[in-house]
Amino acid sequence: MKIVGKRKNELLSDGALSEDVMGDESVRPMYLKDYIGQDNARENLKVFIEAANKREEPLEHILLYGSAGLGKTTLAAIIARETGRRFRVTSGPAIERPIDLVITLKTLSEGDVLFIDEIHRLRRPIEEILYSAMEDFMLDRVINKGIGSRPVRIPIPKFTLIGATTRSGNLSSPLRARFGIMLPLSFYSEEQLKEIIVRSAGILRVRITEEAAFEIAVRSRGTPRIANRLLRRARDFADVENDGFIDIQTADYALSCLEIDRCGLDMVDRNILTALAVNFKGRPVGLGTLAASVSEEPENIEEVYEPYLLKMGFIEKTNKGRMATSAAYDYLSLKKPET
Ligand code: ADE
C-alpha cells in the first residue's frame, strides 16, 4: 500500500474550519485523478478543466450541490489546483455585510477561484452584488447616499465563482442562472467509500483489513467525511486495544462503542425515528416541532439527519410534515399504527 506523508494546508480561509473538516484535511485528494466517486461530475469536470486550460481562460462559474460531507470543498480546491489558480475561501454566513463581499471581490486577482460555501445563506442584498460581479465582472455601487447620490460601475478582476450549497432549491433564480456549470453530488456507494477508507488509511499509515474497511464504509451514511472520521475513531480503538491494527472485530467494536448501528444510524437518528413513529404516532410533524422534540436545531435536522433518513426510506416528507415510513417501523421493530 502506498504511504504518503501529511500534506500542507493550501486553503486560504476566511473562517475557522470545523474540527471535522480539519481532521479530514490530510486525506483529502488534491487532484482529480485521486478523487474517488461522483463519476459523472468528475468526468465532466475533466473536460471543462482541459478545455479552459487549452484556451487559457478561467472556468465559468460552477455550482456544486449536495448533502454535507460529500466533497464540495474538496472538489472546489481540486478545480483551483488543476487550473493553476489561487483558491480563496469564504462562506455565506461569514459574509455578514455587503461591504464584506465588496472587499473580497475587490481583493481578488485575475483568474482567482472564489469559493463561497453555503451560498444559499447569503442575504438577498449581498447576493444581488454578485449578479453583476458574476456576469460582467463589475460592482454596481451607489456613491454619496442621499442627495447627490449616483450609481457607479467598478470593474473587478475576472474570476471563477464556485458556489456550494446543500439546497439548490433555496437559491434564487437570478443567482442560479449565472452559473455556467452545475454539478450535483450524490451519496457514495459502499464500494466507493471502502476505496476512500483504504486510501485514507494508507495516508494515515494505519493497517486495516479490506473487511474492516468495508464495515466502516457500510456504516458511513454514504458520506466520505463520515467515513474518514469513523476511520480515525477506529484507529483510536486499534491503537489502544489492538496494536494499531484495524481488523473486523476492532472496527465493529469501535462502531458499537460510538453507537453507530449496521445502517449507519446514530442516537439522534434513532431519536428522530422514535419521535415520529412513537411520540407522534406516525402522523405528519412540522420541522420545528420535530426539532424541539429531539432537542436539535431545525437546521441540523434538515441538513445532517434528514437527507440520509430520506435516502434510506425511513422518513418521507409530505406537505403536512415529516412522517415515519413502514421501513422505519420495521427498523424499530414496531408495528405501524392503522390509519
Ligand atoms: N477523501 C474524502 N473524499 C474523497 C474522495 N472523493 N476521494 C478520495 N478521497 C477522499
Side-chain angles (χ1 to χ4, degrees):
M1 195 181 291
K2 202 169 135 209
I3 294 177
V4 189
K6 182 163 173 23
R7 283 158 174 154
K8 202 169 120 252
N9 171 10
E10 291 186 13
L11 303 189
L12 286 170
S13 177
D14 289 344
L17 295 169
S18 72
E19 189 195 355
D20 220 21
V21 173
M22 281 196 308
D24 218 24
E25 198 141 329
S26 62
V27 297
R28 289 181 180 207
M30 296 175 70
Y31 297 96
L32 221 39
K33 69 175 175 44
D34 302 317
Y35 192 94
I36 296 158
Q38 308 299 346
D39 299 357
N40 196 261
R42 190 161 37 81
E43 289 309 307
N44 285 337
L45 259 180
K46 214 192 273 177
V47 175
F48 304 146
I49 289 172
E50 199 178 321
N53 287 349
K54 232 178 189 170
R55 293 195 298 264
E56 298 181 15
E57 280 174 6
L59 275 167
E60 282 190 37
H61 306 303
I62 301 172
L63 182 67
L64 301 172
Y65 58 99
S67 293
L70 295 183
K72 297 185 286 294
T73 308
T74 305
L75 210 46
I78 289 177
I79 293 167
R81 196 172 290 111
E82 295 267 11
T83 50
R85 309 287 179 172
R86 204 162 67 127
F87 190 45
R88 308 288 311 272
V89 180
T90 185
S91 73
I95 305 173
E96 290 176 6
R97 301 161 304 164
I99 189 69
D100 299 331
L101 181 59
V102 168
I103 292 170
T104 300
L105 293 171
K106 276 185 162 177
T107 52
L108 290 175
S109 302
E110 194 76 13
D112 278 0
V113 169
L114 173 65
F115 178 63
I116 305 185
D117 201 7
E118 297 187 73
I119 195 166
H120 61 275
R121 292 179 63 183
L122 280 178
R123 290 189 295 111
R124 188 50 81 93
I126 301 178
E127 181 187 302
E128 284 171 1
I129 297 171
L130 273 182
Y131 300 164
S132 59
M134 289 171 77
E135 196 152 271
D136 310 320
F137 304 105
M138 290 282 178
L139 286 178
D140 286 325
R141 304 293 290 159
V142 177
I143 55 168
N144 299 332
K145 294 234 163 65
I147 299 172
S149 73
R150 62 188 175 87
V152 287
R153 300 204 95 195
I154 307 159
I156 53 169
K158 264 196 170 172
F159 69 106
T160 297
L161 175 66
I162 304 184
T165 179
T166 46
R167 319 178 187 186
S168 75
N170 276 24
L171 282 199
S172 69
S173 310
L175 181 57
R176 196 198 311 238
R178 283 165 171 82
F179 289 98
I181 299 171
M182 318 270 260
L183 298 173
L185 303 188
S186 44
F187 285 114
Y188 291 64
S189 70
E190 291 165 354
E191 273 306 322
Q192 289 167 340
L193 288 175
K194 188 191 105 180
E195 228 185 295
I196 289 173
I197 291 165
V198 169
R199 175 182 177 274
S200 300
I203 295 168
L204 298 171
R205 300 166 188 256
V206 183
R207 287 173 301 134
I208 187 167
T209 65
E210 294 260 329
E211 202 186 358
F214 191 73
E215 186 60 30
I216 297 174
V218 168
R219 292 157 86 163
S220 297
R221 316 169 69 97
T223 307
R225 186 187 295 163
I226 297 179
N228 283 326
R229 187 177 66 211
L230 296 183
L231 170 66
R232 295 195 305 277
R233 295 295 74 80
R235 175 180 61 170
D236 292 341
F237 282 89
D239 280 344
V240 173
E241 315 214 352
N242 204 36
D243 205 17
F245 178 49
I246 308 178
D247 54 14
I248 183 69
Q249 288 80 14
T250 311
D252 190 48
Y253 177 66
L255 291 161
S256 55
C257 289
L258 297 169
E259 302 191 90
I260 293 165
D261 69 15
R262 295 305 312 266
C263 297
L265 303 196
D266 66 15
M267 209 55 151
V268 179
D269 295 298
R270 289 190 289 274
N271 288 344
I272 292 171
L273 292 184
T274 307
L276 290 174
V278 181
N279 309 9
F280 297 103
K281 302 186 172 58
R283 291 192 292 264
V285 184
L287 177 64
T289 311
L290 176 62
S293 78
V294 295
S295 308
E296 280 287 329
E297 290 296 319
E299 221 165 63
N300 252 2
I301 302 269
E302 266 198 308
E303 296 195 1
V304 180
Y305 296 101
E306 202 167 75
Y308 187 66
L309 292 173
L310 280 166
K311 180 198 173 242
M312 296 292 284
F314 287 147
I315 61 171
E316 61 179 325
K317 256 172 148 175
T318 68
N319 52 11
K320 289 192 189 141
R322 283 85 179 145
M323 292 170 76
T325 62
S326 304
Y329 283 92
D330 291 345
Y331 167 82
L332 296 167
S333 306
L334 294 172
K335 195 172 169 320
K336 193 172 183 203
E338 303 291 330
T339 45

